[in-house]
Amino acid sequence: MSSEDPLFDYTLRLGDSCIVLAQRISEWVGHAPILEEDIGIANIALDLVGQGRLWLDLAGEIEGQGRDADALAYHRDAGAYRNHLLTEQPNGDFGQTIMRQFLFDAWYLPLLKGLSQSNDSRVAAIAEKAAKEASYHHARHTDLVISLGDGTEESHDRMQAALDVLWPYTGEMLTADKIDGTLCEAGTAPDLAGIEQVWNDHVSKTLTAATLTQPESNFMQSGGKAGRHSEHLGFLLAEMQFLQRAYPDAVW
Amino acid sequence: MYAQMVKTDTTSVKTREEMSAEERAFQDRVDADIKIEAKDWMPENYRKTLIRQISQHAHSEIVGQLPEANWLTRAPTLERKAILLAKIQDEAGHGLYLYCAAETLGVSRDELTEQLLTGKAKYSSIFNYPTLTWADVGTIGWLVDGAAIMNQVPLQRCSFGPYSRAMIRVCKEESFHQRQGYDALMKMCLKGTAAQKAMCQDAFNRWWWPSLMMFGPPDKESVHSAQSMAWKIKLNSNDELRQKFVDQTVPQAEYLGLEIPDPNLSWNEERGHYDFGEIDWSELFSVVRGDGPCNRERLAARRKAWDDGAWFREGLMAHAEKKSARKDTQKNAA
């Protein structure tokens, strides 16, 4: 196996999305609107770091160049990252953070359920474990989107604004490229068309319950899966990779 | 730990003769190591002192998230990031059940939060120091959590039931925190580069004295201790715990190859303890007064979190009310 293997890029997408998202929500720890949210957000970051490590270790194994999760997380620049653009978007207010998590979970959970049926037993094992955690995240963020959307006028307006900002970053997760297609045909990954349907159902039901309006624009950003990122990722990685870069011979 | 210089509102400890019948019966229970529960009769000053002590402890856990979270996004490996996340999450959890323990005494969490944010309530002086390098994170685990355990282990036996039970749970997690801190330093000091070792020594130099101050002023100046000890909400004196901490920590520092930043530190064969230099108490009093390196930033960060989060809390409350109103309407229709 090698980095030519489509599964290398595919597992990087999953691992990088988890790690970048964990990095983003870690920024909230100690600064959340209420103590229970400090605990909740740290808990979710912890789950995502754990899942990110599993996906990246597997990516390293597939690549076969001796790189582990840390080598991949800390020693690649933005162009080599394969996370979805949604995950690297700035936190905004707490509502925007919750909306970003909700839109991500709505894709990630059904994907994990599909991947747990993968013909690659390593992929299936990670997906099965991750799905248990992701289903809790999915339920929590769905509840929060409904409560805040159907809360006060201010909370409603903030959630609508968050949805409008983040909406163009959702298309990329649901649109299959060559790698998705190849792995789907091989029985390693589920068909994204099926995931899109589940995503649409869940998102539209939740937004209705939250009294929020789904944006009409069909314009979607893309590029994260191919390593073309927004300006935000470079700063995120500069912070995350600082110690590894500044002390290259060190052990931690 | 994280409770320092807790006021007791008493000038001296009452003799048995000075006590009312209720106070005598209360003191007898305390002396017999029978736990006082929230609904039991207790002297008003006992209740007030406990609220101060427990809430100060809770506030310390909450503010204590900040110096460590400062390095969350820069943790050097994914494993260290996960460990640090778990640790900070534990601290917030400690805050949560300590607030619950305080609430059993008839005060609400919102009132206590208000006291923290207005500066009326204190939190431990230690969290007003900056975390300047990654080695500070390990050093906090080792020294700060180490000092906290020193104080909290005896508090598991304190007279107030809800507090003592909270301490049992807290202590289990704190000892994991101390070990992870020391583990991070072992890696850097024993297997790391010269630059890493220097980073650890620098962190140790900065945290050593503030850690010793965590135990509070010297016994001869500790005006509220006698009453708290009679009530068994403080079980050892400040100096006693400080000495125990120094005796435990010096060999650990030596194992790491770190130099103690105290030229007067030496083993006293006769006492069977380490002698150590004079602590700069003016620094402690200044930090407690609000003039430490990070007091203003820490409080500002907590205030910002609270103020910026108002719409979020209000939104959730409004939704909960709508939901229950809808339920009532459905019930009435049925």
Side-chain angles (χ1 to χ4, degrees):
Chain A
M1 299 223 215
S2 72
S3 55
E4 302 299 311
D5 189 328
L7 193 54
F8 173 64
D9 253 44
Y10 193 84
T11 46
L12 280 185
R13 290 173 183 181
L14 292 166
D16 291 347
S17 289
C18 289
I19 294 297
V20 168
L21 203 48
Q23 184 72 6
R24 273 288 180 240
I25 56 176
S26 295
E27 295 168 18
W28 276 110
V29 174
H31 306 276
I34 194 160
L35 188 47
E36 283 81 350
E37 290 301 316
D38 275 317
I39 298 172
I41 215 85
N43 194 16
I44 287 163
L46 188 55
D47 287 347
L48 289 171
V49 170
Q51 293 173 25
R53 280 174 81 186
L54 293 172
W55 289 125
L56 291 184
D57 273 334
L58 177 56
E61 187 185 322
I62 291 161
E63 184 194 37
Q65 304 287 320
R67 292 202 281 182
D68 63 5
D70 279 339
L72 288 166
Y74 288 93
H75 295 280
R76 279 178 304 149
D77 206 344
Y81 261 73
R82 294 288 181 267
N83 60 288
H84 298 105
L85 296 174
L86 178 70
T87 61
E88 69 198 44
Q89 296 313 303
N91 284 335
D93 65 13
F94 203 70
Q96 192 171 319
T97 297
I98 295 297
M99 184 58 80
R100 188 186 57 208
Q101 301 305 117
F102 162 74
L103 294 169
F104 176 80
D105 297 337
W107 163 80
Y108 191 45
L109 180 61
L111 183 79
L112 288 173
K113 285 183 178 162
L115 287 172
S116 67
Q117 306 299 314
S118 172
N119 62 2
D120 186 310
S121 60
R122 299 164 302 177
V123 170
I126 297 173
E128 204 180 324
K129 182 181 183 299
K132 286 182 194 144
E133 295 169 346
S135 66
Y136 158 73
H137 305 172
H138 186 271
R140 171 187 135 90
H141 297 128
T142 300
D143 276 357
L144 281 171
V145 165
I146 294 172
S147 302
L148 294 168
D150 183 27
T152 60
E153 197 183 334
E154 181 180 7
S155 72
H156 173 274
D157 293 351
R158 282 176 183 263
M159 294 312 279
Q160 184 65 52
L163 180 64
D164 295 346
V165 167
L166 295 171
W167 190 253
Y169 298 101
T170 57
E172 182 186 37
M173 302 185 294
L174 304 164
T175 311
D177 65 2
K178 206 172 155 211
I179 287 171
D180 294 309
T182 309
L183 290 173
C184 176
E185 267 173 43
T188 311
D191 187 354
L192 270 184
I195 305 296
E196 186 181 15
Q197 206 172 2
V198 178
W199 191 90
N200 275 332
D201 283 352
H202 181 68
V203 169
S204 118
K205 254 189 230 155
T206 307
L207 293 181
T208 304
T211 70
L212 297 172
T213 312
Q214 192 161 310
E216 278 172 18
S217 165
N218 289 323
F219 169 68
M220 289 291 162
Q221 299 279 4
S222 66
K225 282 157 82 166
R228 293 188 313 278
H229 292 276
S230 61
E231 290 177 341
H232 306 297
L233 186 63
F235 289 99
L236 181 143
L237 293 181
E239 187 173 332
M240 183 173 111
Q241 298 175 339
F242 153 69
L243 282 169
Q244 289 280 354
R245 303 282 194 188
Y247 300 90
D249 305 323
V251 288
W252 309 97
Chain B
M1 109 144 90
Y2 307 145
Q4 291 164 321
M5 302 163 70
V6 179
K7 283 189 191 147
T8 55
D9 291 335
T10 53
T11 44
S12 62
V13 181
K14 283 186 187 173
T15 62
R16 283 190 74 78
E17 290 70 40
E18 289 166 336
M19 288 179 189
S20 67
E22 273 173 323
E23 285 172 334
R24 257 198 301 276
F26 172 84
Q27 190 63 48
D28 287 345
R29 286 187 66 182
V30 170
D31 292 343
D33 288 330
I34 300 169
K35 295 273 178 264
I36 306 300
E37 297 299 333
K39 287 183 178 160
D40 295 342
W41 185 89
M42 61 185 79
E44 192 51 22
N45 282 341
Y46 174 86
R47 195 182 67 82
K48 279 192 185 157
T49 305
L50 265 176
I51 291 176
R52 274 193 211 110
Q53 182 170 336
I54 298 173
S55 65
Q56 204 184 100
H57 188 161
H59 297 329
S60 301
E61 302 280 2
I62 304 310
V63 178
Q65 293 181 95
L66 300 171
E68 294 186 301
N70 183 37
W71 280 90
L72 256 184
T73 55
R74 292 176 289 173
T77 67
L78 296 175
E79 186 184 19
R80 295 283 173 207
K81 194 192 291 288
I83 291 171
L84 187 57
L85 273 166
K87 178 178 193 278
I88 299 174
Q89 191 196 348
D90 284 350
E91 315 282 11
H94 296 172
L96 195 58
Y97 40 86
L98 283 163
Y99 281 131
C100 292
E103 282 185 319
T104 66
L105 292 160
V107 62
S108 74
R109 194 166 116 198
D110 280 353
E111 286 172 72
L112 296 174
T113 301
E114 173 82 17
Q115 288 171 6
L116 171 69
L117 299 181
T118 55
K120 191 180 163 219
K122 302 287 178 206
Y123 54 89
S124 178
S125 57
I126 198 75
F127 299 116
N128 291 312
Y129 290 86
T131 47
L132 302 179
T133 71
W134 173 252
D136 290 40
V137 173
T139 307
I140 287 179
W142 173 36
L143 297 182
V144 175
D145 290 270
I149 293 169
M150 205 56 88
N151 200 52
Q152 284 166 193
V153 164
L155 282 176
Q156 295 178 98
R157 293 180 285 110
C158 79
S159 61
F160 188 56
Y163 193 31
S164 84
R165 290 189 287 273
M167 280 304 107
I168 292 170
R169 192 158 163 195
V170 167
C171 281
K172 279 187 193 144
E173 293 178 347
E174 294 290 7
S175 90
F176 151 72
H177 298 167
Q178 191 193 18
R179 282 202 301 272
Q180 67 78 29
Y182 196 69
D183 176 74
L185 292 178
M186 279 207 301
K187 193 83 176 271
M188 284 192 272
C189 288
L190 305 178
K191 296 194 175 138
T193 61
Q196 282 182 292
K197 183 125 192 247
M199 197 190 275
C200 294
Q201 182 67 56
D202 168 65
F204 188 49
N205 294 347
R206 285 181 288 108
W207 289 93
W208 172 253
W209 292 107
S211 298
L212 297 190
M213 292 174 202
M214 281 177 70
F215 296 94
D219 291 350
K220 56 180 180 344
E221 286 167 38
S222 185
V223 284
H224 304 289
S225 286
Q227 181 61 75
S228 288
M229 287 175 93
W231 280 335
K232 292 193 186 167
I233 53 178
K234 178 174 180 139
L235 290 110
N236 304 85
S237 81
N238 296 352
D239 287 338
E240 200 181 326
L241 290 173
R242 189 165 16 245
Q243 181 70 60
K244 209 170 158 197
F245 177 74
V246 171
D247 291 348
Q248 174 187 289
T249 308
V250 170
Q252 293 171 344
E254 283 167 353
Y255 181 77
L256 294 175
L258 296 177
E259 209 174 298
I260 315 281
D262 177 0
N264 295 316
L265 187 114
S266 64
W267 176 252
N268 184 325
E269 193 63 52
E270 206 177 303
R271 290 203 308 125
H273 292 293
Y274 282 96
D275 290 335
F276 52 95
E278 188 62 26
I279 293 169
D280 178 7
W281 294 113
S282 65
E283 179 179 321
L284 173 66
F285 294 124
S286 153
V287 176
V288 169
R289 201 168 53 232
D291 296 331
C294 298
N295 296 56
R296 286 164 180 79
E297 286 92 329
R298 299 286 185 250
L299 260 193
R302 289 309 307 162
R303 279 189 198 125
K304 185 174 188 316
W306 189 249
D307 293 346
D308 288 357
W311 72 268
F312 176 87
R313 298 188 301 275
E314 285 158 14
L316 293 189
M317 291 292 287
H319 182 73
E321 280 159 23
K322 280 185 198 177
K323 227 169 132 180
S324 93
R326 272 178 221 145
K327 237 186 221 161
D328 287 347
T329 318
Q330 277 170 3
K331 223 191 260 168
N332 294 340

